[in-house]
Amino acid sequence: MEIRVLKYFFMAAWEENIARAADLLHLIQSTLSRQLIQLEEEPGVTLFGRSKHRITLTEDGIRRASSGALGWGSSASDGLCPFQEAGGICRRSKRQGA
């Protein structure tokens, strides 16, 4: 699995919106959606619950993100921004207190 795809996963989870995540990643929305669907097909689980304007992590998505089962390591479970290791952006203050 590529780190690029993991960044997509964490950005989508962080933003809870595929369009916003795609904009921040400098992708078109359909490309990001396709990558997330492929990510779900590999292990055969649903990582995101989708509604019209929002996506949220499912129990499987939370478990895989926090356990490092996607190959990221333990940064998500340590409470660190998952983008720090890959040199990406971190907007942790947005979620504090939520």
Side-chain angles (χ1 to χ4, degrees), residues 70-89:
L70 287 169
W72 191 268
S74 62
S75 63
S77 62
D78 293 340
L80 301 174
C81 176
F83 306 109
Q84 288 174 338
E85 293 176 26
I89 61 172

Side-chain angles (χ1 to χ4, degrees), residues 20-88:
R20 266 196 320 264
D23 187 47
L24 290 169
L25 291 163
H26 307 290
L27 300 171
I28 58 174
Q29 183 176 347
S30 62
T31 298
L32 180 56
S33 293
R34 195 169 39 252
Q35 290 290 316
L36 294 176
I37 289 169
Q38 288 176 351
L39 185 62
E40 289 177 315
E41 289 174 350
E42 287 178 25
V45 297
T46 302
L47 300 173
F48 292 101
R50 293 164 172 85
S51 66
K52 189 171 183 174
H53 298 287
R54 185 174 176 206
I55 61 170
T56 56
L57 286 174
T58 63
E59 290 296 319
D60 284 330
I62 292 168
R63 187 174 22 261
R64 290 175 182 273
S66 65
S67 71
L70 287 169
W72 191 268
S74 62
S75 63
S77 62
D78 293 340
L80 301 174
C81 176
F83 306 109
Q84 288 174 338
E85 293 176 26

